[in-house]
Amino acid sequence: MDAPTSGRLPVVVIGAGPIGLAAAAHLVERGIEPLVLEAGAAAGAAVREWSHVRLFSPWAEVVDPAAAKLLAPTGWTRPDGAAYPTGGDWAERYLRPLAQVLGDRVHFDATVTGVARAGRDRIVDSGRDEQPFTVHFGTADGREERITARAVIDASGTWSAPGPLGADGLPALGERAAAERISYRVPDLKDPSVRARYAGRRTAVVGSGASAFTALASLAELAKDAAGTHAVWVLRRGIGTGTYGGGEADQLPARGALGLRAKAAVEQGHASAATGFRAEAVRRDADGRLVLVAEDGRRLDAVDEIIALTGFRPDLSFLSEVRLGLDERLQAPVTLAPLIDPNVHSCGTVYPHGVRELSHPEKGVHLVGMKSYGRAPTFLAMTGYEQVRSIAAALAGDQEAAERVELTLPETGVCGGAGLFDEPEAAKADTGGCCATPTTLRIGAPAGASGGC
């Protein structure tokens, strides 16, 4: 799939998820030809893996404006802006038709394996900026191909790289050997086979974010029907006033309800908590059950299954030949990192940003969406839409539009993930919250188990 080396080279977009497809829509709007390479077999492949989970954000905030314009002439029916989609809704009712209207600009089963400057490895300076990019990818039938591009927008997300159990950021000793009993995703307990895996069993849930809340609440519901079902909530810190989120005071009812359900799971005895527990190893007892061992030597009672929900991280392996400027802690662009530091910011207090904050020493390469946040979990879909709007403007030479902020976020507390809230009508009256529509919004996930709205 070699493209001619001319001024009409496409911009390669890696990933056909919400932000990647929005990037393609903005490029088309600017008269720039995109080529989207998606590793999965369908649009929103990662989103489909958490299709059973409901977003905290309503439809009004998860449909990109440029994408909506592209879809409008096709007869696409825009969902009710006040309703809350599940991941499956998002993929089927928005991402699939968007990929269809983009047509042959989107290639599925195309796994990117490398990005580089044509004829220049990482260390070569001479003539570097004048060279186009080469993007190598593999296909489902085992072929290796290459495309030449004028720029690369990496919207591949972080779903493929979940965090391990080990408190030091590495897999705990024995974690790999116990892989068949460890899940890194929120389980879909409506699936009979998944339900059977956890029913009547003892499960450790490791993590402290919204995804852990979701798993705890789901297992507590299962415990009401399946005797012997119990969750052990493993937290690296203690339980404090903010452990369960905003509760009844939360400006986003969906998020608050989820925290209250997790709290109820503990108070009603369906879950017990192990606090200050920093996992170092996974052992097996005489019956083959799993035993978590902490750095301080503590051992938890044996469990049958483990659900590790410790966040996600960016896969940078295929970008090793381009020069990225990443923060040493978050693995986010160095200019963006202070704006998204989860120790300081929620997704509602992140300043809207664009091409300036997303630039790297390698001109023409941009990490966007969840991947741009590195290990920070506070991402909003509409923040990603603003990112790609700005980048598309810059690639079109419209620097004024690229630097103009077209998004204002409300400053209303910590955001995180998606939830179990299955009564979206109850949330329609809400007028605040980082995942609710602010009146100043001019533009408009979770990212699965890692957080985000």
Side-chain angles (χ1 to χ4, degrees), residues 146-168:
R146 178 181 64 190
I147 186 72
T148 308
R150 60 173 288 195
V152 176
I153 298 175
D154 183 358
S156 59
T158 56
W159 181 255
S160 64
L165 283 171
D168 58 4

Side-chain angles (χ1 to χ4, degrees), residues 397-429:
D398 188 348
Q399 199 60 32
E400 186 278 328
E403 296 184 6
R404 184 175 64 240
V405 174
E406 294 192 4
L407 172 65
T408 302
L409 297 173
E411 298 183 8
T412 51
V414 175
C415 282
L420 289 169
F421 195 73
D422 288 325
E423 299 175 0
E425 292 295 326
K428 288 185 179 181

